[in-house]
């Protein structure tokens, strides 16, 4: 069994209801291994440290626990996923410049950002897998983080895909 540290963000069913009202239900339904953030009206964030045999099982069970406590809650994001170079460097204990140089030197093989701007944003799993496989950063990358980042990416992509109109989905799939 490993420990997985991840965050689930939800929109609440009724933004007018005080999120404090959900705290007892969340604890009763198995979310006692999460720190709960209720700072934004209509939203709730849960930072889990959950022991499980896999990252997928940890995230699935946490979502199921939240949905039992707040059935109409809508999952909006699973983290860790979206990161800047600064965040990647912090996770690996090196400088942002070091990661940037690695990307520049390996431009053909390096992962592409999902947003190119200031700052550019990547899926954490893309960067970690690349560093693990291509740059031999194995000793700096926590295997549970590598596993968890892939699960987070999958959830976030599927959640976004669900928002695409069904006719457009078909057109897009034909283009791909």
């Amino acid at each position: 069994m490993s420990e997985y540290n991840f965050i689930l963000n939800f929109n609440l069913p009724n933004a007018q209801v005080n999120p404090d009202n959900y705290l007892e239900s969340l604890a009763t339904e198995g979310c006692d291994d999460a720190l709960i953030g209720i700072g934004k009206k209509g939203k709730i964030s849960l930072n889990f440290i959950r022991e499980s045999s896999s990252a997928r099982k940890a995230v699935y069970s946490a979502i199921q626990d939240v949905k039992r406590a707040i059935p109409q809650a809508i999952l909006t994001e699973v983290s860790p996923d979206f990161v800047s170079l600064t965040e990647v460097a912090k996770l690996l204990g090196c400088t942002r410049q070091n990661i940037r140089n690695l990307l520049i030197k390996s431009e053909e093989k390096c992962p592409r950002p999902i947003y190119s701007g200031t700052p550019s944003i990547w899926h954490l799993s893309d960067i970690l897998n690349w560093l693990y496989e291509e740059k031999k950063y194995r000793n700096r990358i926590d295997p549970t983080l590598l596993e968890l980042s892939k699960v987070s990416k999958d959830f976030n992509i599927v959640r976004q895909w669900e928002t695409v109109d069904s006719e457009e989905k078909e057109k897009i799939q034909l283009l791909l």
Side-chain angles (χ1 to χ4, degrees), residues 3-173:
E3 266 190 2
Y4 297 93
N5 187 341
F6 57 95
I7 298 171
L8 301 178
N9 294 309
F10 289 88
N11 283 340
L12 295 172
N14 183 347
Q16 304 310 315
V17 173
N18 184 343
D20 284 335
N21 296 350
Y22 299 114
L23 297 180
E24 188 174 323
S25 179
L26 286 164
T28 303
E29 293 299 336
C31 298
D32 53 346
D33 55 348
L35 293 172
I36 301 171
I38 53 173
K40 277 190 162 181
K41 196 172 191 172
K43 302 188 181 299
I44 195 163
S45 181
L46 297 96
N47 185 349
F48 285 89
I49 299 176
R50 183 158 283 199
E51 198 171 286
S52 183
S53 59
S54 74
R56 193 161 307 280
K57 287 180 182 178
V59 172
Y60 278 44
S61 66
I63 293 170
Q64 289 168 338
D65 292 347
V66 172
K67 295 292 264 177
R68 271 195 316 275
I70 313 170
Q72 290 81 31
I74 298 167
L75 181 67
T76 59
E77 184 181 354
V78 179
S79 295
D81 185 13
F82 308 110
V83 292
S84 67
L85 292 185
T86 302
E87 293 164 316
V88 172
K90 185 177 176 183
L91 283 170
L92 299 177
C94 61
T95 66
R96 178 191 173 286
Q97 191 64 32
N98 181 46
I99 301 299
R100 186 175 175 281
N101 286 339
L102 290 170
L103 288 168
I104 290 170
K105 289 177 185 173
S106 304
E107 199 168 335
E108 298 143 13
K109 292 185 177 183
C110 71
R112 301 286 176 234
I114 56 173
Y115 170 77
S116 294
T118 307
S120 292
I121 303 294
W122 285 261
H123 285 291
L124 179 60
S125 68
D126 295 346
I127 291 279
L128 291 182
N129 280 316
W130 173 71
L131 289 169
Y132 190 87
E133 296 297 329
E134 298 291 326
K135 297 299 175 186
K136 310 303 182 210
Y137 265 59
R138 292 186 174 122
N139 61 336
R140 289 190 180 198
I141 298 173
D142 178 354
T144 61
L145 179 60
L146 189 62
E147 181 188 5
L148 187 58
S149 67
K150 174 66 172 130
V151 172
S152 298
K153 175 185 173 184
D154 291 349
F155 263 99
N156 291 327
I157 288 174
V158 169
R159 189 190 58 75
Q160 284 295 317
W161 184 244
E162 288 176 352
T163 66
V164 178
D165 177 71
S166 59
E167 285 182 30
E168 286 301 313
K169 282 182 184 178
E170 290 176 28
K171 291 176 189 174
I172 290 168
Q173 287 175 322

